[in-house]
Amino acid sequence: MSLPELPADPPPPSRWARRVSRDAPHGLDVLEAHVLAWAGQADALSKTPWWRIAWGVSPLLALLASIGGFAAVFGNPRDIAIGRVDAPDAGSIPWAMVSYGVAALGVVLIFLYWFTTGRRRNGSLQVMLVLTFAFGVLGLLFAYQLAAEDGGVSLVAMLPAFVMMALAVVVFVIIQLSPKPEPESAAPPVAVADLDEKAMRYLMRERNEAIKTLAERRMLPNVDVEVLKARPLGRLHIEEDA
């Protein structure tokens, strides 16, 4: 049984399994086609050193730290309602500013990441900067309210948030003014037989995760999930193995 053709640049199998509509083709043959199409990415991932992967996710620091600053002055309404924690007060502001200081360093990391990866316009980095800035604005509003309730507002105490937001605006503009990215050439297909052990583990992990997701969504035939996971790569859609 031949596998169906997929559109260009299909998503990873696990993501496809989460998003595929019930009305769209989602049989075992389509799943296996997505798995085999992801062989090139699995091969590239297996050859990527850990420090490069860590550098790739480093821009997240700014957003996570900015969310942390906002959370420090906003609190958790559910925990506050049940008395698990106290409502934030002016004493929460210094902790928020520490988080915003870390977020400012994260914005610098975003700039360095952009500078070292081709200095091209990057929509993902810009979205991250917008969200980082937005949580900074929200955090400042709540911090100002908490400080006013305590009897005094010190803009100097909130300086880290202002610095972070200013850096976010500057880096956003720099990225926006940079040249558009050039179209990437399609990577040559990688045969499953050419994958090393590490790449094969990545590929099988993706396939097993996709099988599990489709099973939870009740979109698989009436076959035991463990039986499907045990089938050899490339033969998931074949009921009877020779």
Side-chain angles (χ1 to χ4, degrees):
M1 181 186 296
S2 60
L3 294 173
E5 292 187 5
L6 300 178
D9 194 23
S14 58
R15 188 192 307 165
W16 168 82
R18 290 192 300 270
R19 298 180 178 180
V20 64
S21 167
R22 293 182 178 277
D23 298 328
H26 55 267
L28 294 177
D29 56 340
V30 182
L31 170 56
E32 193 73 324
H34 277 84
V35 172
L36 297 179
W38 202 71
Q41 287 87 334
D43 182 63
L45 188 60
S46 70
K47 293 179 171 60
T48 304
W50 68 267
W51 61 266
R52 188 175 293 275
I53 296 176
W55 180 237
V57 300
S58 62
L60 284 172
L61 175 65
L63 177 57
L64 294 177
S66 185
I67 293 174
F70 166 73
V73 292
F74 181 73
N76 186 322
R78 179 178 177 274
D79 288 346
I80 294 172
I82 64 178
R84 183 178 297 172
V85 297
D86 296 330
D89 54 22
S92 304
I93 295 177
W95 294 107
M97 293 306 115
V98 170
S99 289
Y100 285 129
V102 174
L105 294 177
V107 173
V108 174
L109 277 180
I110 288 178
F111 173 78
L112 293 176
Y113 180 85
W114 166 82
F115 190 85
T116 58
T117 54
R119 285 171 284 180
R120 297 284 179 173
R121 194 177 304 171
N122 189 316
S124 298
L125 295 181
Q126 289 179 292
V127 169
M128 207 170 300
L129 288 167
V130 169
L131 292 175
T132 300
F133 181 91
F135 279 105
V137 172
L138 292 174
L140 276 177
L141 291 175
F142 281 98
Y144 186 92
Q145 181 180 357
L146 292 175
E149 292 174 352
D150 195 52
V153 177
S154 173
L155 295 181
V156 175
M158 303 178 189
L159 187 60
F162 288 110
V163 171
M164 179 274 292
M165 292 163 59
L167 286 174
V169 171
V170 171
V171 175
F172 181 94
V173 172
I174 291 174
I175 295 176
Q176 180 63 29
L177 295 178
S178 59
K180 293 182 179 180
E182 298 177 355
E184 295 183 2
S185 56
V190 177
V192 173
D194 296 333
L195 297 179
D196 58 22
E197 184 179 350
K198 187 177 180 181
M200 188 63 74
R201 286 200 303 270
Y202 283 133
L203 196 59
M204 294 303 294
R205 188 185 307 160
E206 275 289 321
R207 187 175 84 154
N208 292 342
E209 185 64 28
I211 291 172
K212 178 183 176 183
T213 300
L214 290 177
E216 290 173 348
R217 297 181 63 190
R218 301 184 184 278
M219 295 172 65
L220 287 179
N222 189 22
V223 182
D224 185 83
V225 170
E226 297 304 320
V227 172
L228 293 177
K229 291 181 179 180
R231 288 182 180 175
L233 190 62
R235 298 181 63 86
L236 177 63
H237 58 300
I238 300 175
E239 294 186 10
E240 297 296 333
D241 294 323

